[in-house]
Amino acid sequence: MKEFNENEAIAAMRAALTGESPEKYTDDDLLEVLDLIFDHYEENGDLDPDASGSGDVDDEEEIKATAAFVTRFIKKDKSSRIDLGDIPALVRGEYAYELSLI
């Protein structure tokens, strides 16, 4: 299994955006979203290797739940430059990157 690389994750998130969106965000902007994605995983125990579970994950439901979590926090952050409409694509890009590591 390949090791997670923050820069590659950011590149995957940027690639998931369409139109002019990829250029409107800095790496720091996307890192903010990446941090929130991992906060969501941590809150749900998804980062705990000892967590019990069947391992069955509904990808679409996980993406929706993660996007909702990120959106909730971005809405509160008045200094964030992230367009709320871009969050599902950003989460989807990061999720696809994670799957590519397996």
Short mmCIF file of all heavy atoms in Angstrom, two decimals, residues 27-79:
data_model
loop_
_atom_site.label_atom_id
_atom_site.label_comp_id
_atom_site.label_asym_id
_atom_site.label_seq_id
_atom_site.Cartn_x
_atom_site.Cartn_y
_atom_site.Cartn_z
N ASP A 27 -2.84 26.18 -2.18
CA ASP A 27 -2.64 24.90 -1.49
C ASP A 27 -3.09 25.01 -0.04
O ASP A 27 -3.64 24.05 0.52
CB ASP A 27 -1.18 24.47 -1.55
CG ASP A 27 -0.77 23.95 -2.93
OD1 ASP A 27 -1.64 23.85 -3.83
OD2 ASP A 27 0.42 23.64 -3.11
N ASP A 28 -2.88 26.16 0.59
CA ASP A 28 -3.32 26.35 1.98
C ASP A 28 -4.84 26.28 2.10
O ASP A 28 -5.36 25.74 3.08
CB ASP A 28 -2.81 27.68 2.54
CG ASP A 28 -1.33 27.64 2.86
OD1 ASP A 28 -0.76 26.54 2.99
OD2 ASP A 28 -0.74 28.74 2.98
N ASP A 29 -5.56 26.82 1.11
CA ASP A 29 -7.02 26.72 1.11
C ASP A 29 -7.45 25.26 1.09
O ASP A 29 -8.32 24.83 1.84
CB ASP A 29 -7.63 27.43 -0.10
CG ASP A 29 -7.44 28.93 -0.11
OD1 ASP A 29 -7.35 29.54 0.97
OD2 ASP A 29 -7.39 29.51 -1.22
N LEU A 30 -6.81 24.49 0.21
CA LEU A 30 -7.17 23.08 0.07
C LEU A 30 -6.70 22.26 1.27
O LEU A 30 -7.36 21.29 1.66
CB LEU A 30 -6.62 22.52 -1.24
CG LEU A 30 -7.19 23.20 -2.50
CD1 LEU A 30 -6.56 22.60 -3.75
CD2 LEU A 30 -8.70 23.11 -2.54
N LEU A 31 -5.61 22.69 1.88
CA LEU A 31 -5.14 22.02 3.10
C LEU A 31 -6.15 22.20 4.23
O LEU A 31 -6.36 21.29 5.03
CB LEU A 31 -3.77 22.57 3.50
CG LEU A 31 -3.09 21.88 4.66
CD1 LEU A 31 -2.89 20.40 4.37
CD2 LEU A 31 -1.75 22.53 4.95
N GLU A 32 -6.81 23.36 4.26
CA GLU A 32 -7.86 23.59 5.26
C GLU A 32 -8.97 22.55 5.10
O GLU A 32 -9.45 21.97 6.08
CB GLU A 32 -8.43 25.00 5.08
CG GLU A 32 -9.62 25.31 5.96
CD GLU A 32 -10.28 26.65 5.65
OE1 GLU A 32 -9.98 27.27 4.62
OE2 GLU A 32 -11.12 27.06 6.47
N VAL A 33 -9.38 22.29 3.86
CA VAL A 33 -10.41 21.29 3.60
C VAL A 33 -9.90 19.91 3.95
O VAL A 33 -10.61 19.11 4.59
CB VAL A 33 -10.88 21.36 2.12
CG1 VAL A 33 -11.86 20.23 1.81
CG2 VAL A 33 -11.51 22.71 1.82
N LEU A 34 -8.67 19.61 3.58
CA LEU A 34 -8.08 18.31 3.90
C LEU A 34 -8.05 18.07 5.41
O LEU A 34 -8.39 16.98 5.88
CB LEU A 34 -6.67 18.22 3.31
CG LEU A 34 -5.95 16.89 3.42
CD1 LEU A 34 -6.73 15.78 2.72
CD2 LEU A 34 -4.56 17.00 2.84
N ASP A 35 -7.68 19.09 6.15
CA ASP A 35 -7.67 18.98 7.62
C ASP A 35 -9.07 18.68 8.16
O ASP A 35 -9.23 17.86 9.07
CB ASP A 35 -7.13 20.25 8.26
CG ASP A 35 -5.62 20.41 8.09
OD1 ASP A 35 -4.94 19.42 7.75
OD2 ASP A 35 -5.14 21.54 8.30
N LEU A 36 -10.07 19.33 7.60
CA LEU A 36 -11.45 19.09 8.04
C LEU A 36 -11.91 17.68 7.69
O LEU A 36 -12.62 17.04 8.46
CB LEU A 36 -12.40 20.13 7.45
CG LEU A 36 -12.28 21.52 8.05
CD1 LEU A 36 -13.06 22.54 7.21
CD2 LEU A 36 -12.77 21.53 9.49
N ILE A 37 -11.49 17.19 6.54
CA ILE A 37 -11.82 15.81 6.15
C ILE A 37 -11.26 14.84 7.20
O ILE A 37 -11.96 13.94 7.68
CB ILE A 37 -11.29 15.48 4.74
CG1 ILE A 37 -12.08 16.26 3.68
CG2 ILE A 37 -11.33 13.97 4.48
CD1 ILE A 37 -11.49 16.20 2.28
N PHE A 38 -10.02 15.07 7.60
CA PHE A 38 -9.41 14.18 8.59
C PHE A 38 -10.01 14.38 9.98
O PHE A 38 -10.09 13.43 10.76
CB PHE A 38 -7.89 14.30 8.58
CG PHE A 38 -7.29 13.42 7.51
CD1 PHE A 38 -7.15 13.88 6.22
CD2 PHE A 38 -6.92 12.12 7.80
CE1 PHE A 38 -6.63 13.07 5.23
CE2 PHE A 38 -6.40 11.29 6.82
CZ PHE A 38 -6.26 11.77 5.53
N ASP A 39 -10.47 15.58 10.29
CA ASP A 39 -11.20 15.80 11.54
C ASP A 39 -12.47 14.96 11.56
O ASP A 39 -12.81 14.34 12.58
CB ASP A 39 -11.56 17.27 11.73
CG ASP A 39 -10.37 18.15 12.07
OD1 ASP A 39 -9.28 17.61 12.38
OD2 ASP A 39 -10.52 19.39 12.01
N HIS A 40 -13.15 14.91 10.42
CA HIS A 40 -14.36 14.10 10.31
C HIS A 40 -14.02 12.62 10.51
O HIS A 40 -14.70 11.92 11.26
CB HIS A 40 -15.02 14.32 8.95
CG HIS A 40 -16.16 13.40 8.67
ND1 HIS A 40 -17.36 13.50 9.32
CD2 HIS A 40 -16.27 12.34 7.84
CE1 HIS A 40 -18.17 12.54 8.89
NE2 HIS A 40 -17.53 11.83 7.99
N TYR A 41 -12.97 12.16 9.86
CA TYR A 41 -12.57 10.76 10.01
C TYR A 41 -12.24 10.44 11.46
O TYR A 41 -12.61 9.39 11.99
CB TYR A 41 -11.35 10.44 9.14
CG TYR A 41 -11.58 10.48 7.65
CD1 TYR A 41 -10.52 10.58 6.78
CD2 TYR A 41 -12.86 10.42 7.09
CE1 TYR A 41 -10.70 10.61 5.40
CE2 TYR A 41 -13.05 10.45 5.73
CZ TYR A 41 -11.96 10.54 4.88
OH TYR A 41 -12.14 10.57 3.53
N GLU A 42 -11.53 11.36 12.10
CA GLU A 42 -11.13 11.15 13.49
C GLU A 42 -12.36 11.09 14.41
O GLU A 42 -12.45 10.22 15.28
CB GLU A 42 -10.19 12.26 13.93
CG GLU A 42 -9.60 12.02 15.30
CD GLU A 42 -8.52 13.04 15.64
OE1 GLU A 42 -8.49 14.14 15.06
OE2 GLU A 42 -7.70 12.69 16.51
N GLU A 43 -13.30 11.98 14.21
CA GLU A 43 -14.52 11.99 15.03
C GLU A 43 -15.31 10.71 14.89
O GLU A 43 -15.98 10.28 15.82
CB GLU A 43 -15.42 13.17 14.65
CG GLU A 43 -15.08 14.44 15.36
CD GLU A 43 -16.15 15.51 15.19
OE1 GLU A 43 -17.31 15.19 14.81
OE2 GLU A 43 -15.83 16.67 15.45
N ASN A 44 -15.25 10.09 13.71
CA ASN A 44 -16.01 8.87 13.46
C ASN A 44 -15.22 7.60 13.70
O ASN A 44 -15.71 6.51 13.43
CB ASN A 44 -16.54 8.89 12.02
CG ASN A 44 -17.61 9.93 11.86
OD1 ASN A 44 -18.62 9.90 12.56
ND2 ASN A 44 -17.40 10.87 10.97
N GLY A 45 -13.98 7.74 14.18
CA GLY A 45 -13.16 6.57 14.46
C GLY A 45 -12.60 5.91 13.22
O GLY A 45 -12.08 4.80 13.28
N ASP A 46 -12.69 6.60 12.08
CA ASP A 46 -12.20 6.02 10.83
C ASP A 46 -10.68 5.95 10.75
O ASP A 46 -10.15 5.27 9.89
CB ASP A 46 -12.73 6.82 9.63
CG ASP A 46 -14.24 6.72 9.49
OD1 ASP A 46 -14.84 5.78 10.03
OD2 ASP A 46 -14.83 7.62 8.84
N LEU A 47 -10.00 6.64 11.63
CA LEU A 47 -8.54 6.61 11.63
C LEU A 47 -7.98 5.61 12.62
O LEU A 47 -6.78 5.39 12.68
CB LEU A 47 -7.97 8.01 11.96
CG LEU A 47 -8.30 9.11 10.96
CD1 LEU A 47 -7.73 10.43 11.44
CD2 LEU A 47 -7.78 8.77 9.59
N ASP A 48 -8.86 4.98 13.39
CA ASP A 48 -8.44 4.01 14.41
C ASP A 48 -8.29 2.63 13.77
O ASP A 48 -9.28 2.01 13.39
CB ASP A 48 -9.48 3.97 15.54
CG ASP A 48 -9.09 3.03 16.66
OD1 ASP A 48 -7.98 2.46 16.62
OD2 ASP A 48 -9.90 2.87 17.59
N PRO A 49 -7.05 2.14 13.65
CA PRO A 49 -6.84 0.84 13.02
C PRO A 49 -7.45 -0.31 13.81
O PRO A 49 -7.68 -1.38 13.27
CB PRO A 49 -5.32 0.70 12.93
CG PRO A 49 -4.78 1.66 13.92
CD PRO A 49 -5.80 2.74 14.10
N ASP A 50 -7.73 -0.08 15.10
CA ASP A 50 -8.30 -1.13 15.94
C ASP A 50 -9.82 -1.08 15.99
O ASP A 50 -10.44 -1.88 16.68
CB ASP A 50 -7.76 -1.02 17.36
CG ASP A 50 -6.26 -1.25 17.41
OD1 ASP A 50 -5.76 -2.06 16.60
OD2 ASP A 50 -5.59 -0.60 18.22
N ALA A 51 -10.41 -0.13 15.27
CA ALA A 51 -11.87 0.01 15.30
C ALA A 51 -12.50 -1.24 14.71
O ALA A 51 -12.08 -1.75 13.69
CB ALA A 51 -12.32 1.24 14.53
N SER A 52 -13.51 -1.72 15.41
CA SER A 52 -14.19 -2.89 14.89
C SER A 52 -15.24 -2.46 13.89
O SER A 52 -15.81 -1.39 13.99
CB SER A 52 -14.83 -3.68 16.02
OG SER A 52 -15.79 -2.89 16.68
N GLY A 53 -15.46 -3.27 12.94
CA GLY A 53 -16.44 -2.96 11.91
C GLY A 53 -16.26 -3.94 10.77
O GLY A 53 -15.24 -4.62 10.66
N SER A 54 -17.23 -3.99 9.94
CA SER A 54 -17.19 -4.96 8.86
C SER A 54 -16.28 -4.53 7.73
O SER A 54 -15.91 -5.33 6.89
CB SER A 54 -18.61 -5.19 8.32
OG SER A 54 -19.08 -4.00 7.70
N GLY A 55 -15.95 -3.25 7.69
CA GLY A 55 -15.13 -2.77 6.60
C GLY A 55 -15.96 -2.38 5.40
O GLY A 55 -15.44 -1.84 4.44
N ASP A 56 -17.25 -2.69 5.43
CA ASP A 56 -18.13 -2.30 4.33
C ASP A 56 -18.48 -0.83 4.46
O ASP A 56 -19.01 -0.40 5.48
CB ASP A 56 -19.43 -3.13 4.36
CG ASP A 56 -19.18 -4.60 4.06
OD1 ASP A 56 -18.19 -4.89 3.35
OD2 ASP A 56 -19.96 -5.43 4.53
N VAL A 57 -18.15 -0.08 3.42
CA VAL A 57 -18.41 1.35 3.44
C VAL A 57 -19.18 1.71 2.19
O VAL A 57 -18.81 1.30 1.09
CB VAL A 57 -17.07 2.14 3.47
CG1 VAL A 57 -17.33 3.62 3.37
CG2 VAL A 57 -16.29 1.81 4.73
N ASP A 58 -20.25 2.45 2.36
CA ASP A 58 -20.99 2.99 1.22
C ASP A 58 -20.26 4.27 0.82
O ASP A 58 -20.36 5.27 1.52
CB ASP A 58 -22.44 3.26 1.62
CG ASP A 58 -23.27 3.79 0.47
OD1 ASP A 58 -22.70 4.37 -0.48
OD2 ASP A 58 -24.50 3.64 0.52
N ASP A 59 -19.51 4.20 -0.25
CA ASP A 59 -18.68 5.32 -0.66
C ASP A 59 -19.49 6.60 -0.81
O ASP A 59 -19.07 7.66 -0.34
CB ASP A 59 -17.96 5.02 -1.97
CG ASP A 59 -16.91 3.93 -1.84
OD1 ASP A 59 -16.49 3.65 -0.70
OD2 ASP A 59 -16.52 3.37 -2.88
N GLU A 60 -20.62 6.52 -1.46
CA GLU A 60 -21.43 7.72 -1.70
C GLU A 60 -21.93 8.32 -0.40
O GLU A 60 -21.91 9.54 -0.22
CB GLU A 60 -22.59 7.36 -2.62
CG GLU A 60 -23.05 8.42 -3.58
CD GLU A 60 -21.96 9.27 -4.23
OE1 GLU A 60 -21.03 8.76 -4.85
OE2 GLU A 60 -22.06 10.51 -4.09
N GLU A 61 -22.34 7.49 0.53
CA GLU A 61 -22.80 7.98 1.84
C GLU A 61 -21.64 8.59 2.62
O GLU A 61 -21.81 9.61 3.29
CB GLU A 61 -23.47 6.86 2.64
CG GLU A 61 -24.85 6.50 2.14
CD GLU A 61 -25.80 7.69 2.11
OE1 GLU A 61 -25.87 8.45 3.11
OE2 GLU A 61 -26.47 7.87 1.08
N GLU A 62 -20.47 7.98 2.55
CA GLU A 62 -19.29 8.52 3.24
C GLU A 62 -18.91 9.87 2.66
O GLU A 62 -18.59 10.81 3.40
CB GLU A 62 -18.11 7.54 3.13
CG GLU A 62 -16.86 8.02 3.80
CD GLU A 62 -16.97 8.22 5.30
OE1 GLU A 62 -17.81 7.55 5.94
OE2 GLU A 62 -16.23 9.06 5.84
N ILE A 63 -18.95 10.00 1.35
CA ILE A 63 -18.63 11.27 0.71
C ILE A 63 -19.64 12.34 1.12
O ILE A 63 -19.25 13.47 1.46
CB ILE A 63 -18.57 11.10 -0.82
CG1 ILE A 63 -17.33 10.29 -1.20
CG2 ILE A 63 -18.58 12.46 -1.54
CD1 ILE A 63 -17.30 9.80 -2.63
N LYS A 64 -20.91 12.00 1.12
CA LYS A 64 -21.95 12.97 1.52
C LYS A 64 -21.78 13.40 2.97
O LYS A 64 -21.89 14.58 3.30
CB LYS A 64 -23.35 12.37 1.31
CG LYS A 64 -23.77 12.29 -0.12
CD LYS A 64 -25.15 11.68 -0.24
CE LYS A 64 -25.55 11.49 -1.69
NZ LYS A 64 -26.86 10.85 -1.81
N ALA A 65 -21.52 12.45 3.85
CA ALA A 65 -21.36 12.77 5.27
C ALA A 65 -20.12 13.64 5.49
O ALA A 65 -20.16 14.60 6.27
CB ALA A 65 -21.25 11.49 6.09
N THR A 66 -19.05 13.32 4.80
CA THR A 66 -17.82 14.10 4.94
C THR A 66 -18.02 15.50 4.39
O THR A 66 -17.61 16.49 5.02
CB THR A 66 -16.64 13.39 4.24
OG1 THR A 66 -16.51 12.07 4.77
CG2 THR A 66 -15.34 14.15 4.44
N ALA A 67 -18.66 15.62 3.24
CA ALA A 67 -18.91 16.93 2.64
C ALA A 67 -19.80 17.77 3.55
O ALA A 67 -19.57 18.99 3.71
CB ALA A 67 -19.54 16.78 1.26
N ALA A 68 -20.79 17.16 4.17
CA ALA A 68 -21.67 17.90 5.10
C ALA A 68 -20.87 18.40 6.30
O ALA A 68 -21.07 19.55 6.75
CB ALA A 68 -22.82 17.00 5.56
N PHE A 69 -19.99 17.58 6.82
CA PHE A 69 -19.14 17.97 7.95
C PHE A 69 -18.26 19.16 7.56
O PHE A 69 -18.19 20.15 8.28
CB PHE A 69 -18.29 16.77 8.38
CG PHE A 69 -17.36 17.06 9.52
CD1 PHE A 69 -17.76 16.86 10.83
CD2 PHE A 69 -16.06 17.51 9.30
CE1 PHE A 69 -16.90 17.11 11.90
CE2 PHE A 69 -15.19 17.76 10.34
CZ PHE A 69 -15.61 17.56 11.65
N VAL A 70 -17.58 19.04 6.43
CA VAL A 70 -16.69 20.11 5.97
C VAL A 70 -17.48 21.39 5.74
O VAL A 70 -17.06 22.47 6.16
CB VAL A 70 -15.92 19.68 4.70
CG1 VAL A 70 -15.16 20.85 4.10
CG2 VAL A 70 -14.98 18.52 5.00
N THR A 71 -18.63 21.28 5.10
CA THR A 71 -19.47 22.45 4.82
C THR A 71 -19.86 23.16 6.10
O THR A 71 -19.81 24.39 6.18
CB THR A 71 -20.73 22.03 4.03
OG1 THR A 71 -20.32 21.46 2.78
CG2 THR A 71 -21.64 23.22 3.77
N ARG A 72 -20.23 22.40 7.10
CA ARG A 72 -20.65 22.98 8.38
C ARG A 72 -19.54 23.86 8.97
O ARG A 72 -19.79 24.97 9.44
CB ARG A 72 -21.04 21.87 9.36
CG ARG A 72 -21.67 22.38 10.63
CD ARG A 72 -22.27 21.28 11.50
NE ARG A 72 -21.26 20.37 12.00
CZ ARG A 72 -21.21 19.06 11.71
NH1 ARG A 72 -22.11 18.52 10.92
NH2 ARG A 72 -20.28 18.31 12.22
N PHE A 73 -18.31 23.39 8.91
CA PHE A 73 -17.20 24.15 9.48
C PHE A 73 -16.76 25.31 8.58
O PHE A 73 -16.40 26.37 9.09
CB PHE A 73 -16.02 23.23 9.80
CG PHE A 73 -16.23 22.47 11.08
CD1 PHE A 73 -16.86 21.24 11.06
CD2 PHE A 73 -15.86 23.02 12.29
CE1 PHE A 73 -17.10 20.55 12.25
CE2 PHE A 73 -16.09 22.34 13.48
CZ PHE A 73 -16.71 21.10 13.45
N ILE A 74 -16.81 25.13 7.28
CA ILE A 74 -16.44 26.20 6.37
C ILE A 74 -17.43 27.36 6.49
O ILE A 74 -17.05 28.53 6.44
CB ILE A 74 -16.35 25.70 4.91
CG1 ILE A 74 -15.20 24.71 4.75
CG2 ILE A 74 -16.21 26.86 3.93
CD1 ILE A 74 -13.81 25.29 4.89
N LYS A 75 -18.71 27.05 6.67
CA LYS A 75 -19.73 28.10 6.85
C LYS A 75 -19.42 28.97 8.06
O LYS A 75 -19.66 30.16 8.05
CB LYS A 75 -21.12 27.48 7.04
CG LYS A 75 -21.80 27.09 5.79
CD LYS A 75 -23.19 26.56 6.13
CE LYS A 75 -23.96 26.17 4.91
NZ LYS A 75 -25.30 25.65 5.26
N LYS A 76 -18.88 28.37 9.10
CA LYS A 76 -18.56 29.10 10.34
C LYS A 76 -17.31 29.95 10.19
O LYS A 76 -17.15 30.93 10.92
CB LYS A 76 -18.35 28.12 11.50
CG LYS A 76 -19.59 27.40 11.93
CD LYS A 76 -19.24 26.42 13.05
CE LYS A 76 -20.41 25.55 13.41
NZ LYS A 76 -20.03 24.58 14.45
N ASP A 77 -16.43 29.58 9.28
CA ASP A 77 -15.14 30.26 9.12
C ASP A 77 -15.31 31.41 8.11
O ASP A 77 -15.23 31.20 6.90
CB ASP A 77 -14.08 29.28 8.65
CG ASP A 77 -12.71 29.90 8.50
OD1 ASP A 77 -12.56 31.12 8.72
OD2 ASP A 77 -11.77 29.16 8.14
N LYS A 78 -15.53 32.59 8.61
CA LYS A 78 -15.78 33.75 7.75
C LYS A 78 -14.56 34.11 6.90
O LYS A 78 -14.69 34.80 5.90
CB LYS A 78 -16.22 34.96 8.58
CG LYS A 78 -17.48 34.72 9.39
CD LYS A 78 -18.64 34.38 8.49
CE LYS A 78 -19.88 34.15 9.32
NZ LYS A 78 -20.93 33.48 8.61
N SER A 79 -13.38 33.65 7.28
CA SER A 79 -12.17 33.98 6.51
C SER A 79 -11.88 32.95 5.41
O SER A 79 -10.98 33.16 4.59
CB SER A 79 -10.97 34.11 7.44
OG SER A 79 -10.66 32.86 8.01
#
